Amino acid sequence: MSRASKAVPRPRSGIPKPKPIINAVQKRRSAPPDGFVNHLEAVFQQQKDDDKYLTKRVILHARKTGQLNLSGKGLSSVPKRVWSLEEAEEEIKRIDQTFLKSELDEQTDEDEGDVRWWERKALTVLDLSSNRITEIPLDIKKLEYLTSLDLHDNSIDALPEEIGTLGRLEKLDISHNQLKKLPKSFYDLGELRTLSLAHNKIQDISEDLGNLYRLETLDLSHNDMATLPLGMGFLTALIKFDVSHNHLSEVPPELSGLMGLTQLILSHNELTNVPPLGELRKLQLLHLQDNRLEAVPDVTTCSALRELSLSANQIKEIPGDVLQHISHLRVFNLRENKIEEIPEEISHLQSLVRLDLANNNIEDVPSCVGFLPQLQILSLEGNPLKKIRQDMLHCGSARLLRMLRGQSDPNQMSPRAKINLPRSEKPLLPDKYRMRGSRAMSLGMQGLQEVPDSLFDDAVEAEVESVDLCKNLLTSVPVRLPLLAATLTELNLSDNRLSCIPEGVLGACKKLHYIDLQQNALCALPDDLAELTHLREINFAYNKFSELPRVLGSMPGLEIINARDNKVSVIDALLLATVPRLAVLDLANNDINQVPPELGLLSGLRSLSLEGNTFRIPRHEVLAKGTACVLSYLRDRIPAETLTAMRAQMAKAAGVPSPELGADPPRQNSYTSQIVFG
């Protein structure tokens, strides 16, 4: 065979070259691990999923308004398109051509409207809250016009140094994350007004915090801080500061120099004392509950203080000299301490609305507490009280205060406990022309001890129909009141110091339809009120009546009786049966220990209030069902053999014929409804 015949033929054109042989070892060395590939694919897929939330509509809205809201989208990273919103216009157009063309949007460009370069606004507000973001990219520096950044409720454990380049930032919320420290550049954000770092794991704040001297609101609550930075004293614009739920054992003295502070929250720490808050004259709210304080802090110069909470500490005494300087206090919380005595200087707190002294060691409560004019909520449970029954503590604050008022007369109090009721140096007395136009003589809240005689002469000429003398210092009913008998229909003498009403004054005003005598010290009504045949409503709540006045049975037109918060111990059903038109009866918060079953025969009652008394039957469940159910319940308790006799007895007391058993007598009356027996 020739040498030419043995030559290897060349491959024809179009035939692929043979692949090089690669063994398994070489393949494993050159290829990336499967897990790494899968991770990269997951990252890119997640980034792609995050980017889909930046639709054309969202981008156009951000460029029109300068605000971008991506809150609650489930993002694990910040979409890359966020950083390009501030790039040059040419770059934006280039990106638009490649990115927006691939968008599947139902609306056309005409519907959305393109943003021209002169209409475009810089991004100033960015909300990325309530997502799953773990880090903030370095590209954050591109958002140089940002004024508000919300990153709360994510999983961020660190901030980049580039955060300090946001020189226009005024509001920053990074609460509810995993931060342990802040970058050094963070303290270059000199325009910050509001900063929230709550619910993180921060242990230390640099003293450079003082560089943020424009801060007005600072929230460092729910962290792991043991000390406050020395630079706190430079935050002179601070208005609200919350550093609760940390591990502070002391407060730097510089804190008392923040003269603009109105809210200071230091609760749930480990404080044993607080330095004098001498310069905090604008402070309105101070929370120090759940610490280890043994004394009330010095707040004598905090004249604007409205709310002071010191619960759950180790305080044993309330200093009286401090109370004299915080007379505008509205909420005073001292529960769960070791207080043994309430000083009489508590009477200086004339604006107090809520006083919580529960769970202390108090044995006696001064009666002056009951005379605090604005007090609505008084908590004393959990104390070894000697003069107040434990069941009284569950009858409501209104009854408790009424009982304290009943223990003493304010005129007999010690000078320290006397109530300084506001008095007008020059009472604003109405002239006869004003009274003629309104047909009323209004003298409420004037601090009057007596009414000038000349006013009654003008009131007669003006034919006054209503007289209002409430919230004064009257100790007796004006004797010239009968001069208005011809026209007077309404009289308000509530919230005075009346202890008795003489005969011949109110009884002479026979056209009266309404009388208000609540909040006095009355224990009886004059018999001549029987002359008031037109009287439809009488209110003598918050007085000292031990029984229902007998004269009530002589008022045929009476429809509403308010006798709540007195000392009534017995319900006289026969007396009430003589009030034929009675429709509303309020006996709440008295000393009634038994409800007579015959009260159920007054089926004309449309409203019956008995809560806050000491009786056990009917139970609270029955009272809660309403008046009709209560009356039915009481009727069912009357034995069948005595029902007829009881009906006849009550009918006799009322002066009407006795109805037969099972009859359905008429119920109708002019204004409300007439009492029907059975």
Side-chain angles (χ1 to χ4, degrees):
M1 182 178 294
S2 65
R3 187 180 300 268
S5 62
K6 294 183 180 179
V8 178
R10 294 182 179 180
R12 298 178 182 176
S13 61
I15 299 177
K17 296 181 179 180
K19 295 181 179 179
I21 300 175
I22 302 176
N23 57 36
V25 176
Q26 291 176 323
K27 186 175 182 180
R28 285 197 299 269
R29 289 177 180 176
S30 60
D34 292 340
F36 181 73
V37 173
N38 294 336
H39 174 71
L40 288 178
E41 291 179 350
V43 170
F44 289 130
Q45 182 62 39
Q46 184 63 53
Q47 182 68 54
K48 185 177 180 181
D49 293 341
D50 292 341
D51 288 340
K52 72 180 182 181
Y53 290 104
L54 271 178
T55 61
K56 181 178 179 180
R57 182 185 295 111
V58 173
I59 293 175
L60 290 176
H61 181 269
R63 291 178 181 170
K64 285 181 179 180
T65 64
Q67 301 179 7
L68 179 57
N69 187 350
L70 295 175
S71 174
K73 302 296 185 181
L75 303 176
S76 61
S77 62
V78 183
K80 293 182 178 180
R81 285 283 291 158
V82 171
W83 317 123
S84 65
L85 291 178
E86 292 299 322
E87 293 181 358
E89 190 66 22
E90 294 76 11
E91 181 66 14
I92 292 174
K93 292 180 179 178
R94 184 186 65 79
I95 297 175
D96 286 346
Q97 292 175 357
T98 58
F99 179 78
L100 296 181
K101 285 182 179 179
S102 63
E103 291 278 329
L104 296 177
D105 203 313
E106 295 180 358
Q107 298 187 6
T108 64
D109 289 346
E110 290 76 15
D111 295 330
E112 290 290 349
D114 292 330
V115 182
R116 300 175 179 85
W117 64 269
W118 59 85
E119 296 176 344
R120 178 172 167 268
K121 293 184 178 180
L123 188 63
T124 58
V125 178
L126 177 58
D127 189 350
L128 294 169
S129 61
S130 302
N131 285 290
R132 295 181 286 113
I133 299 173
T134 57
E135 64 176 351
I136 300 299
L138 306 182
D139 290 332
I140 187 71
K141 63 184 178 182
K142 296 181 179 180
L143 306 181
E144 56 181 323
Y145 296 100
L146 212 57
T147 61
S148 176
L149 177 59
D150 192 345
L151 298 170
H152 87 267
D153 195 14
N154 279 284
S155 301
I156 303 170
D157 57 6
L159 293 175
E161 287 287 345
E162 284 71 15
I163 193 76
T165 62
L166 303 180
R168 293 180 173 87
L169 202 60
E170 297 180 1
K171 181 179 180 181
L172 177 58
D173 188 349
I174 325 177
S175 60
H176 294 270
N177 279 282
Q178 304 295 322
L179 296 177
K180 294 183 179 180
K181 62 180 181 179
L182 300 174
K184 186 176 181 180
S185 64
F186 183 87
Y187 305 102
D188 295 334
L189 301 174
E191 295 295 325
L192 272 182
R193 263 71 170 178
T194 302
L195 174 60
S196 179
L197 295 167
H199 291 273
N200 279 283
K201 300 178 180 180
I202 299 174
Q203 298 181 356
D204 184 43
I205 296 287
S206 171
E207 62 182 15
D208 292 336
L209 181 68
N211 296 340
L212 310 181
Y213 58 90
R214 288 187 173 90
L215 271 180
E216 298 176 357
T217 301
L218 176 59
D219 190 351
L220 298 174
S221 62
H222 295 270
N223 278 284
D224 296 328
M225 300 174 58
T227 58
L228 289 177
L230 297 177
M232 285 293 304
F234 294 100
L235 303 180
T236 54
L238 203 60
I239 296 176
K240 179 180 178 181
F241 181 38
D242 187 351
V243 69
S244 61
H245 294 86
N246 277 278
H247 307 293
L248 301 180
S249 58
E250 62 179 359
V251 177
E254 292 82 2
L255 195 65
S256 61
L258 306 180
M259 295 183 291
L261 208 59
T262 61
Q263 296 185 26
L264 178 57
I265 304 175
L266 297 165
S267 58
H268 294 85
N269 277 284
E270 301 172 8
L271 300 175
T272 56
N273 63 77
V274 176
L277 305 177
E279 301 298 327
L280 304 185
R281 291 182 174 86
K282 295 183 180 180
L283 192 64
Q284 298 181 9
L285 181 146
L286 177 58
H287 281 187
L288 287 164
Q289 66 267 26
D290 287 274
N291 277 285
R292 301 176 182 176
L293 300 176
E294 296 183 356
V296 176
D298 185 2
V299 292
T300 53
T301 57
C302 302
S303 56
L305 197 60
R306 298 293 186 272
E307 182 173 339
L308 177 58
S309 181
L310 296 166
S311 61
N313 279 283
Q314 307 294 323
I315 299 173
K316 297 180 180 180
E317 181 183 7
I318 305 175
D321 56 339
V322 173
L323 299 179
Q324 298 179 18
H325 296 87
I326 52 175
S327 58
H328 296 291
L329 199 66
R330 295 179 59 83
V331 178
F332 198 11
N333 187 353
L334 284 162
R335 70 182 299 128
E336 297 181 22
N337 277 282
K338 298 181 179 180
I339 298 171
E340 298 180 354
E341 184 180 3
I342 303 175
E344 290 186 339
E345 286 84 357
I346 197 79
S347 61
H348 289 284
L349 306 183
Q350 292 290 293
S351 301
L352 199 62
V353 175
R354 177 186 174 190
L355 177 59
D356 194 340
L357 293 165
N359 300 325
N360 278 278
N361 299 325
I362 300 171
E363 295 183 356
D364 187 28
V365 180
S367 57
C368 62
V369 173
F371 289 93
L372 293 174
Q374 305 296 329
L375 193 59
Q376 298 178 10
I377 301 175
L378 176 61
S379 300
L380 292 171
E381 63 273 11
N383 284 284
L385 301 172
K386 293 183 177 180
K387 296 183 180 180
I388 301 178
R389 302 194 312 267
Q390 290 297 319
D391 60 314
M392 288 288 296
L393 302 178
H394 303 288
C395 293
S397 298
R399 185 177 182 188
L400 188 58
L401 292 171
R402 190 266 307 168
M403 188 204 69
L404 291 173
R405 287 193 296 269
Q407 292 178 352
S408 177
D409 191 330
N411 293 322
Q412 299 176 353
M413 293 181 184
S414 63
R416 290 185 303 170
K418 280 188 176 181
I419 299 176
N420 300 317
L421 293 176
R423 297 187 183 185
S424 177
E425 296 294 335
K426 295 182 179 181
L428 301 176
L429 304 180
D431 53 41
K432 61 181 179 182
Y433 302 104
R434 184 183 303 175
M435 288 190 288
R436 181 178 299 171
S438 61
R439 292 294 181 92
M441 184 171 73
S442 300
L443 291 169
M445 302 181 67
Q446 296 291 326
L448 297 174
Q449 295 181 343
E450 61 180 13
V451 182
D453 292 343
S454 59
L455 275 181
F456 286 102
D457 297 332
D458 293 341
V460 172
E461 185 178 346
E463 297 182 347
V464 163
E465 298 177 355
S466 173
V467 173
D468 185 359
L469 297 171
C470 71
K471 296 184 179 180
N472 282 288
L473 306 175
L474 301 178
T475 57
S476 61
V477 180
V479 294
R480 303 203 71 188
L481 194 63
L483 294 177
L484 308 176
T487 57
L488 188 61
T489 60
E490 297 183 1
L491 175 62
N492 188 349
L493 288 166
S494 64
D495 214 343
N496 278 280
R497 297 183 177 183
L498 304 177
S499 57
C500 66
I501 299 176
E503 299 278 348
V505 181
L506 297 187
C509 303
K510 298 182 180 181
K511 291 189 176 182
L512 278 172
H513 292 172
Y514 170 81
I515 298 178
D516 191 346
L517 299 168
Q518 65 177 316
Q519 293 279 8
N520 280 284
L522 300 172
C523 57
L525 294 178
D527 292 337
D528 66 344
L529 291 188
E531 303 292 331
L532 306 181
T533 56
H534 299 285
L535 192 67
R536 293 161 58 178
E537 179 177 353
I538 185 168
N539 185 346
F540 52 92
Y542 298 97
N543 277 279
K544 298 182 178 181
F545 288 84
S546 59
E547 61 180 4
L548 293 176
R550 305 297 302 177
V551 70
L552 296 177
S554 303
M555 301 178 184
L558 200 58
E559 298 169 353
I560 301 175
I561 298 176
N562 188 349
R564 69 178 298 129
D565 288 273
N566 278 280
K567 298 181 179 180
V568 177
S569 57
V570 177
I571 300 178
D572 192 341
L574 292 178
L575 171 64
L576 296 175
T578 62
V579 187
R581 297 185 178 181
L582 186 61
V584 178
L585 177 62
D586 192 343
L587 293 171
N589 299 328
N590 277 279
D591 296 329
I592 301 169
N593 54 25
Q594 184 178 3
V595 181
E598 54 267 30
L599 186 66
L601 298 178
L602 305 181
S603 55
L605 282 176
R606 293 296 174 264
S607 177
L608 175 64
S609 299
L610 296 172
E611 64 274 6
N613 283 283
T614 57
F615 58 79
R616 296 185 177 181
I617 298 176
R619 295 184 179 275
H620 176 75
E621 293 79 5
V622 178
L623 297 179
K625 294 180 179 179
T627 300
C629 291
V630 173
L631 297 178
S632 176
Y633 174 86
L634 293 173
R635 284 194 298 271
D636 292 342
R637 292 180 59 83
I638 302 176
E641 58 273 14
T642 62
L643 181 60
T644 303
M646 190 171 293
R647 280 179 173 167
Q649 184 181 9
M650 297 190 69
K652 181 179 179 181
V656 297
S658 176
E660 296 182 1
L661 184 64
D664 189 14
R667 298 173 179 267
Q668 201 68 18
N669 204 305
S670 59
Y671 179 63
T672 50
S673 56
Q674 185 173 359
I675 286 187
V676 184
F677 304 107

